[in-house]
Amino acid sequence: MKRHGLLLPSLLLLTACSVPSSTTSTDSSSSSTSSSPSSDVFAGVPLQRKKNDSKYRTFYQIFVSSYADSDQDGIGDLRGICDKLPEIVDMGFDGIWLTPIFSSPSYHKYDTTDYFQVDEDFGTMADLEDLIALCHEKDVRLILDLAINHTSSSHPWFQNALLAHRKKLQGETLTSEEEDYDSLYVFFDSEEEARASGSTYYQAGANSFYYEGNFSSDMPELNFESEFTYEKVEEILDFYLGKGIDGFRLDAVTSYDYKKVQRNVEILDRIAQMGHGKDPDCYFVGETWEAGDVYSQYAQSDIDSCFYFPGSTAYTSTSFLLSGNAMDGMYKKTYLNGLRTMEDLSGESIPASFLDNHDLPRATKGRDKRMTKFQLGLLAFTSGTTFTYYGDEIGMSSSNNPGGDYQDSNYRTHYFWDDESHAYECHDPEHALAQEAYYPSYREQKDDPNSIRNYVRKANLIRSSYPTLLRGKTSTTEKDQRTNEDVSSLLSFLRSDQEETYRVLINYHSYEEVSYVLDEDEEPLTVLLADEEIPATRKDRTLTIPPYSMALIRVQ
C-alpha cells in the first residue's frame, strides 16, 4: 500500500513551573520508552499520567476482530489486546471500550447467542480475566459493548420464545418458564398488529405470527415490558461486574422501545440502578444517535453518559469538531458554540465526544497531516470523557468507500502495526475494500517524535495532567470575547471547576502564527504543536502560537 511520510506536532514547554503535589505516576510505561519522544516535559518534569479515580476518562475504542491477532489466525483477539496494552497505556489512554466479545455467528458480534461466553474467535473467559487484571494494574478501565435491545435469532432464548408463543397461540397451557420466554421478545399475532407498531417486523419462520427486528431479521428485539427481560439483563451485569469489568457501552438505546424517548429513558434508569447498585463506579455510556432536546432527554437518564453524535462524522457538515476548522478561523466559533451546547444539553451527565466509530466514516484527512492532528487536538480539549477509535491515532482512513450494503466493513479494517513483520496483523472483514494508507504504520510512528501517534499521546497526557480540562465547564470572559472578535484566527475560552481555571488558546490559521499578551495572573503551561519545526515562543508577556496549535494557560 502506498504510504506518504509527513511532519507532525508535539508539546512545547513554555515556562518551567512546579507540579502540584497530587501528581503521581501510576505506571512506568506512561513515560517514554526508548523509542518514544524524549522531549515529554510538562511543567518542568517528565510528562506523566495522574492516577484517575473518576469516570472522566480518555477512552480507546477497539473493534476486536481487526485489532491485534496473537495466534496468527487472521482474527484479532483478547490475548492480542493483552499484548498491546502497554502501547495503549503509553499513548495516554486510561479507558478501553471493546466492541462485542460474546458468542455470535457474525464478524461484528452484535447478534449474541450467549452473553456468558467469550466468542471462540476472540479467545476464552480466562483471556478476558487476564485482560481485566492487566488493565487494572495500569489504571485502565475496561468496558464491554452490550447489545441488549436485541439478540441473535439463533440465541436459545429466542428459540425457546418461538416454541412458547406458538404453543400459546395453539391454546396450550404454558409452564411458568414458558410464560417467561413467551414474554421475552416482542411478538405480533397478526401482520396488521405488526404494521401498526411502526417498527420493522418479520414473520417467525413458518409460524403465523411475527416478531420485531429493527436492525435485521437475525436480530429479534427483546421486550422491556417483561420483568423476565430485566432479570436476564441483571444476570449479565452481575456476571461481568463480578469479574471486574468497569462498565458497559449500551448499544442502540433508542430502540429499547422503538423511538419512544421517555420509555427508553425509564428503561435506562432501571439498567443504571442495577449496575450502580452492584458497583457505584460502574460506567454506562449509551448510543443515542440524537441531538438537541432528544439527546438532552437521554442525557438526563441515570446512566453516566450518552455519546454526543453532533461532534462526529455522522454530522460532517455541522460537526463542532470537524466542520469549522478550515478557512483560517472564519468558522472558529463553531467549536466554542458546540462545546457549550454539548455541556448544556448534557446537564449533570458526563459528555462523551468522539470523531468517529465503527459505524461511521473515519475523520482522518488523508493528505493533510496537520489537519488530522488538529481535529484530534480539538477532541482532546473537549470536556467530559472522550473516545478515540482505534487507528485514528495513526491516521487510518476509510476513504475508499463507494457505499452500499457493506460500507461499514470499510470503517473496520485491520490495524497497521508493522509493515515489515506484519506481526499481529488481522484480516479485513469480508467485503471490506483495501484502504489507502496515507501515513506510516504504528511501529514507524512510535519512533517518530512528529508522528500523529505521538501527537495523540501528548494530547492525552495533557488531559490526564490537568483534570479540570475533563471535569470543568466552558465559558468566556470579556477578554476572551475581545480576542475572538479582534484576532481572526485565534479562539480563546476558559475551562473551570472548583479547583482550577485554565484558558485555552487555539490558532486556526493554516500558515500564520498569532500573538497573545498574557495578563499578570496568567501562567502558560504547554502548547500542542501542529509542526515541531515551528515552535511557540515567549518574549516578556507576549506568547506566539504557531499555526494549527493550541496553548494551555493557568489563570490564577
Side-chain angles (χ1 to χ4, degrees):
M1 298 178 117
K2 188 177 181 182
R3 295 195 177 276
H4 309 281
L6 299 174
L7 287 175
L8 286 199
S10 90
L11 287 176
L12 175 69
L13 178 67
L14 295 180
T15 60
C17 35
S18 62
V19 174
S21 60
S22 61
T23 300
T24 60
S25 173
T26 62
D27 162 8
S28 62
S29 70
S30 298
S31 302
S32 292
T33 63
S34 60
S35 59
S36 296
S38 61
S39 60
D40 282 338
V41 287
F42 194 74
V45 299
L47 183 59
Q48 294 178 322
R49 292 171 56 202
K50 284 185 178 179
K51 183 173 178 58
N52 186 355
D53 294 322
S54 80
K55 297 180 181 181
Y56 290 82
R57 289 191 169 247
T58 304
F59 272 87
Y60 188 62
Q61 180 196 353
I62 296 176
F63 193 81
V64 179
S65 64
S66 296
Y67 190 61
D69 172 20
S70 69
D71 57 7
Q72 300 180 323
D73 65 354
I75 302 172
D77 48 55
L78 297 179
R79 184 56 55 190
I81 298 171
C82 289
D83 293 347
K84 295 300 184 180
L85 183 62
E87 306 294 344
I88 297 170
V89 172
D90 186 67
M91 287 189 289
F93 294 103
D94 57 8
I96 294 174
W97 154 27
L98 301 181
T99 54
I101 61 170
F102 314 123
S103 294
S104 166
S106 69
Y107 85 94
H108 54 69
K109 310 302 180 190
Y110 278 92
D111 49 343
T112 302
T113 55
D114 187 346
Y115 288 99
F116 302 97
Q117 291 291 331
V118 171
D119 192 279
E120 62 183 5
D121 284 345
F122 297 161
T124 66
M125 190 63 69
D127 292 333
L128 177 61
E129 291 166 351
D130 287 347
L131 179 57
I132 293 168
L134 289 170
C135 283
H136 291 173
E137 286 177 9
K138 303 290 188 182
D139 189 32
V140 173
R141 293 194 179 177
L142 182 67
I143 67 173
L144 300 181
D145 206 323
L146 187 57
I148 49 171
N149 61 304
H150 57 246
T151 69
S152 169
S153 58
S154 300
H155 197 301
W157 294 352
F158 187 61
Q159 297 304 311
N160 290 340
L162 289 176
L163 292 173
H165 199 70
R166 182 169 63 212
K167 187 175 177 180
K168 175 183 175 180
L169 293 184
Q170 290 172 344
E172 299 182 42
T173 301
L174 302 184
T175 66
S176 60
E177 182 180 27
E178 288 171 332
E179 288 177 345
D180 284 339
Y181 279 103
D182 177 52
S183 72
L184 189 57
Y185 291 85
V186 180
F187 289 124
F188 307 109
D189 293 343
S190 68
E191 187 166 10
E192 182 181 17
E193 181 187 2
R195 191 181 301 114
S197 72
S199 59
T200 304
Y201 61 89
Y202 302 91
Q203 188 168 355
N207 297 293
S208 61
F209 57 92
Y210 300 80
Y211 63 91
E212 184 178 347
N214 294 309
F215 291 85
S216 164
S217 62
D218 298 327
M219 298 179 181
E221 301 285 338
L222 289 168
N223 176 22
F224 281 91
E225 296 300 319
S226 167
E227 283 300 311
F228 192 51
T229 300
Y230 290 102
E231 290 178 20
K232 292 297 189 185
V233 171
E234 189 163 22
E235 288 174 8
I236 298 166
L237 298 181
D238 286 353
F239 181 81
Y240 286 100
L241 290 173
K243 288 190 174 294
I245 284 297
D246 298 296
F248 303 90
R249 180 262 188 186
L250 300 176
D251 184 60
V253 302
T254 60
S255 293
Y256 287 162
D257 197 334
Y258 190 60
K259 294 186 176 179
K260 296 178 181 177
V261 177
Q262 190 53 48
R263 180 71 187 118
N264 287 326
V265 169
E266 293 169 359
I267 295 167
L268 286 172
D269 288 345
R270 188 159 177 186
I271 292 171
Q273 289 160 14
M274 292 176 185
H276 293 154
K278 186 170 182 67
D279 179 3
D281 292 328
C282 173
Y283 176 67
F284 287 106
V285 56
E287 180 197 24
T288 54
W289 284 79
E290 298 289 355
D293 291 341
V294 176
Y295 164 83
S296 184
Q297 290 180 66
Y298 280 104
Q300 290 170 26
S301 72
D302 289 340
I303 65 172
D304 303 286
S305 296
C306 289
F307 282 110
Y308 192 65
F309 276 78
S312 73
T313 57
Y315 289 74
T316 301
S317 62
T318 59
S319 164
F320 78 92
L321 291 170
L322 302 170
S323 67
N325 301 341
M327 304 297 289
D328 296 329
M330 182 177 293
Y331 303 109
K332 64 184 181 181
K333 291 183 182 178
T334 301
Y335 181 64
L336 175 60
N337 294 337
L339 275 175
R340 299 176 77 165
T341 298
M342 179 181 70
E343 291 175 3
D344 290 344
L345 292 174
S346 297
E348 296 302 312
S349 69
I350 302 171
S353 54
F354 63 105
L355 296 178
D356 49 42
N357 64 24
H358 61 288
D359 289 327
L360 295 171
R362 289 187 180 271
T364 296
K365 299 297 184 185
R367 292 178 175 84
D368 192 340
K369 184 183 281 190
R370 292 189 310 151
M371 181 57 78
T372 294
K373 291 194 275 185
F374 188 68
Q375 293 173 165
L376 291 160
L378 292 178
L379 176 65
F381 276 96
T382 60
S383 53
T385 289
T386 60
F387 290 80
T388 298
Y389 189 39
Y390 83 101
D392 284 0
E393 78 285 358
I394 58 170
M396 283 177 56
S397 78
S398 61
S399 56
N400 184 14
N401 193 346
D405 292 340
Y406 302 109
Q407 64 178 355
D408 287 359
S409 298
N410 297 314
Y411 313 148
R412 306 166 181 177
T413 52
H414 72 275
Y415 195 83
F416 295 120
W417 284 109
D418 188 331
D419 284 343
E420 294 183 3
S421 72
H422 298 285
Y424 289 90
E425 192 168 295
C426 307
H427 296 320
D428 284 338
E430 187 179 6
H431 305 296
L433 301 177
Q435 298 301 313
E436 183 74 19
Y438 295 102
Y439 305 109
S441 69
Y442 179 89
R443 182 186 62 79
E444 293 174 81
Q445 291 203 34
K446 185 176 181 181
D447 292 341
D448 178 5
N450 293 320
S451 69
I452 301 173
R453 182 266 185 198
N454 285 322
Y455 176 90
V456 169
R457 177 181 189 268
K458 294 168 185 179
N460 288 344
L461 291 174
I462 290 175
R463 285 175 58 83
S464 175
S465 298
Y466 293 101
T468 295
L469 289 175
L470 285 66
R471 303 173 192 177
K473 296 293 186 181
T474 301
S475 64
T476 56
T477 64
E478 288 186 8
K479 180 176 184 180
D480 296 303
Q481 293 163 15
R482 287 196 306 270
T483 298
N484 295 339
E485 294 299 327
D486 296 345
V487 185
S488 61
S489 65
L490 184 62
L491 181 68
S492 175
F493 60 87
L494 299 182
R495 182 72 48 73
S496 307
D497 62 9
Q498 294 179 340
E499 303 296 325
E500 296 275 7
T501 297
Y502 301 123
R503 176 162 278 119
V504 177
L505 301 174
I506 302 174
N507 182 4
Y508 274 78
H509 210 286
S510 58
Y511 61 89
E512 290 184 358
E513 62 186 23
V514 295
S515 295
Y516 176 85
V517 178
L518 297 162
D519 288 341
E520 291 298 324
D521 64 348
E522 291 183 320
E523 174 190 21
L525 298 172
T526 193
V527 172
L528 189 62
L529 297 173
D531 185 343
E532 197 167 270
E533 298 299 317
I534 309 175
T537 60
R538 179 185 178 186
K539 183 176 182 180
D540 299 325
R541 303 302 299 174
T542 300
L543 182 66
T544 301
I545 305 169
Y548 283 156
S549 298
M550 308 174 190
L552 183 66
I553 295 170
R554 175 182 282 120
V555 181
Q556 304 291 352

